[in-house]
Structure formats: structure tokens, C-alpha cells
Amino acid sequence: MNSTSATFLHVTDAHIAYAGTALERDDRKTVVAGLQPQTREAALRQVFERLAERLSRERRGLDGVIFSGDAQDRGRQGGHELLLDLLLSFFGPLGITAGRIVATPGNHDVDRTYDPGTAERYKDFCATWRARGCVVPWLDGVDDAGSTAPHSLVGTGNDWAIFPINSSNWCHAAAVLPEPLASVWAQLPHLASGSDTEKEGKLRHQLDALARYDMARISEHQLEQVRRLVDRAPRPEHGRQLRIAVLHHHLRAPSLREEIKAFSDISNLEQVRAFLRDREFDVVIHGHKHEHASQFDHVYDHAGDSARRLLVVSGATFEAGCRLALNRENRASVISDTYVGT
Ligand SMILES: [Fe+2]
């Protein structure tokens, strides 16, 4: 790295598990001996291997890895551990240690059986990324009483700084139903199924899904912690610092593709956009939408006289290697996107 450029690998939405997750790529109309369906784990390994080979060949290193959530697939075990091990094994020789990996949880990475703002909700995420020394967000329910975990990654010379932000605290949160609906809701599967236990189980599962919201939201408490972190971050001797925020959810849809569901966007989006403007962020990197896009968002002040320009980078699943360049004013621009096909 020199003083005006840095290279990061952005990985998001791996959706992998110890038990294996099928990669839905082929149109398999028949089963043939010896021709196993590909797994997402194998595809990811291949992508990392090719990318590491290419970087070595070009004698380039990495300044950091940015993981923007959903290592797991529907909460199944193994995703976090598998992904971190792959990152360290392939990119360790290119300069990546756990301390140079910034990781934030996605909606598939939280345990829905525990309420928002509880430590148990982040047990799997913390057992890997946090326990092994990666840079992680300040988490509601985990860090309230003080934290010793690193919450930012600052480049040599302080030219850039990366801050992970958790947007998954309310994901899959249970709706609080009013009485008498709450009591009836709990009894409904049994009342409607008689002695059919299979139907009762299915109904319970379906009613549970109806009364949950996959809500993207960033707590005020966390924003306040990030504000303090930004304010305390060391500054470069000359020029300004490029600030990068990493979160799982999008600020805006990366394409015309519409998502029809409750809370499909961050519910306190305007608060978050104003925060990013006021704290002088330059880049937002996110996942969740499984689509690759780089676009600019302009966040105006209240008078509408001046706008802050944010480069918003949406990472697709298994897409990696977005290179950002700083120009003379230390503003970010995308200089190349590397698509590594499988
Ligand atoms: Fe997601």
C-alpha cells in the first residue's frame, strides 16, 4: 500500500454451513452417478483460491477484508467458522490477520429465539469473529457495560478508517400481540389440528413466521458509540481521512428489483443517512441484497444547500474484490470491480 491507495476484499452473504449448502446453479433434471451437486462451500473456496493466486501473481497484498454479514444459512451451524478459516488460510500470506478483518452480522447470523439487545442473539457471531480478534461492531446487549473488542480498523498513516455497524439487532424479532389475540394465537395450532400433530407443528411454524418481522434497524445507542469512535479515531497528518461504514443492510435498493416484504428497508433510514453525513463518511459497503452495484447517494443538509456524497457499494454473494481509489482530495471512487466467476 502507498499513501493514496488501499486494496480491500469485500465478502458478503456466503450462506454456508458445516452440513453443506447446495449451490443452486445447474438445471438438474436427472441424477447421474458420480456427478454431485456443487456446494456453496466448495465454490467459495475456489473463488478465494483463484483470487489469492491472482493477487500473488500481480504482487499485490490486501489492506483488509470486509465481511458484511450472512456467513450462516438460516442460522445453521458452521458458516462463521468456515468462512473465517478460509479467509485466513488463503489471504493470510497476502497480509490478512484476524485483526485486519472487519465483520458485521447479517439477518441470518442472529439467533431469533432470543430478543433484540441480548448477548445470546449474537452467540455464534461472537464465538468466531469477536473471540478470534476480528474488528466487530459495538453490539446491543454485548457491549453495553463496556467493550475491549476492536470496533474500527485504521490504515497506516490514518488515511482511511473502517467502522462496522450492526443493522441486524431487530431481525426476525417477534411481534408483541395484544390480548386476547396473544392467548388465542398460542392455542390456535392445537385448536385447529385436533390430534394431527404434524399439522399442529406446521401451523405453529407458519403462525410464528407471520408474527415475526425481519426488521433492519440501527439502534440510537450504537450510533452514539460509533460517533464516539469516529471522533476519537486518529487523523492523518495531512489531508482528510476516508471513512468507510460497513453494514449488512442497504441504504437504497441496488437495482430495479423490488423486495416485497415488511421492513424491507432500514426503518430509521433517514436517521442513519443523516448520521453518515454528519460524521463525514465517504463510503458505505453492504450486502443482503445479493446484487452487485456501486452508486452514489447524496445526503443533503436540512437547508438543502450542500450535500455529502456517499459511495454505496452493494456486494453480491460470491462477488469479491471491489477496489477503491482515493483521488487527490482523498475522495473515494471505484477504479475497478473484479468479478470472480465460479
Ligand atoms: Fe441478509
Side-chain angles (χ1 to χ4, degrees):
M1 184 215 152
N2 60 41
S3 61
T4 54
S5 75
T7 303
F8 304 104
L9 168 65
H10 177 208
V11 181
T12 195
D13 296 81
H15 292 291
I16 54 178
Y18 284 139
T21 310
L23 178 66
E24 309 290 353
R25 189 192 64 180
D26 304 318
D27 182 14
R28 287 173 177 265
K29 293 194 170 67
T30 189
V31 179
V32 176
L35 190 57
Q36 302 300 321
Q38 201 177 10
T39 65
R40 292 181 66 86
E41 297 74 21
L44 194 60
R45 173 180 289 275
Q46 190 181 57
V47 168
F48 284 175
E49 191 172 5
R50 289 185 191 179
L51 186 59
E53 281 173 12
R54 176 175 154 185
L55 288 168
S56 304
R57 202 167 50 241
E58 295 172 0
R59 298 184 189 286
R60 290 165 55 196
L62 288 174
D63 294 278
V65 169
I66 293 167
F67 167 58
S68 54
D70 279 359
Q72 296 192 146
D73 188 51
R74 294 183 177 85
R76 294 187 304 150
Q77 292 295 302
H80 299 297
E81 207 66 22
L82 283 167
L83 181 58
L84 180 53
D85 287 343
L86 284 175
L87 287 170
L88 290 172
S89 103
F90 285 109
F91 303 110
L94 297 161
I96 294 303
T97 57
R100 300 201 77 80
I101 297 175
V102 180
T104 194
N107 53 327
H108 286 250
D109 297 329
V110 294
D111 189 336
R112 66 178 65 187
T113 53
Y114 295 99
D115 282 340
T118 58
E120 291 84 358
R121 165 167 271 258
Y122 301 105
K123 190 163 46 68
D124 289 349
F125 177 84
C126 288
T128 299
W129 305 98
R130 187 185 173 102
R132 290 173 64 179
C134 300
V135 178
V136 291
W138 184 96
L139 295 171
D140 295 271
V142 176
D143 293 311
D144 305 276
S147 172
T148 51
H151 297 306
S152 63
L153 178 63
V154 181
T156 317
N158 308 325
D159 284 347
W160 52 266
I162 305 177
F163 300 89
I165 299 174
N166 175 35
S167 56
S168 300
N169 191 48
W170 280 271
C171 287
H172 309 293
V176 179
L177 301 175
E179 289 293 356
L181 179 61
S183 304
V184 174
W185 195 267
Q187 295 163 23
L188 257 180
H190 181 67
L191 292 174
S193 309
S195 57
D196 187 341
T197 52
E198 195 184 331
K199 185 178 175 186
E200 184 179 336
K202 271 189 187 164
L203 261 179
R204 197 169 292 286
H205 183 75
Q206 288 168 341
L207 283 172
D208 182 56
L210 269 185
R212 281 189 187 276
Y213 296 114
D214 192 14
M215 182 182 190
R217 187 176 190 278
I218 298 168
S219 75
E220 291 89 343
H221 202 170
Q222 186 190 176
L223 289 176
E224 194 54 17
Q225 297 297 332
V226 180
R227 179 189 69 76
R228 291 195 183 110
L229 284 166
V230 170
D231 289 350
R232 286 186 207 135
R235 301 287 195 271
E237 227 170 274
H238 305 289
R240 53 186 300 282
Q241 181 173 68
L242 181 94
R243 293 205 183 116
I244 302 172
V246 179
L247 56 157
H248 181 62
H249 294 87
H250 52 285
L251 290 191
R252 51 183 292 194
S255 76
L256 297 179
R257 193 162 154 259
E258 194 179 344
E259 188 175 10
I260 312 290
K261 77 170 201 182
F263 296 109
S264 63
D265 299 304
I266 293 174
S267 64
N268 60 337
L269 182 59
E270 281 317 297
Q271 187 182 21
V272 174
R273 290 174 85 241
F275 173 86
L276 295 167
R277 176 196 65 208
D278 293 347
R279 307 273 50 101
E280 299 184 334
F281 274 85
D282 301 281
V283 182
V284 174
I285 295 179
H286 70 84
H288 185 60
K289 299 293 270 185
H290 292 202
E291 289 181 73
H292 182 63
S294 302
Q295 49 194 350
F296 287 101
D297 194 4
H298 295 82
V299 189
Y300 283 85
D301 62 10
H302 294 299
D305 293 328
S306 67
R308 174 142 207 99
R309 191 179 73 151
L310 283 170
L311 173 62
V312 182
V313 180
S314 170
T317 183
F318 295 166
E319 255 177 335
C322 179
R323 288 176 57 212
L324 303 177
L326 314 189
N327 61 21
R328 279 196 201 114
E329 291 81 42
N330 234 3
R331 297 188 73 167
S333 58
V334 175
I335 54 173
S336 77
D337 295 321
T338 308
Y339 176 74
V340 185
T342 58

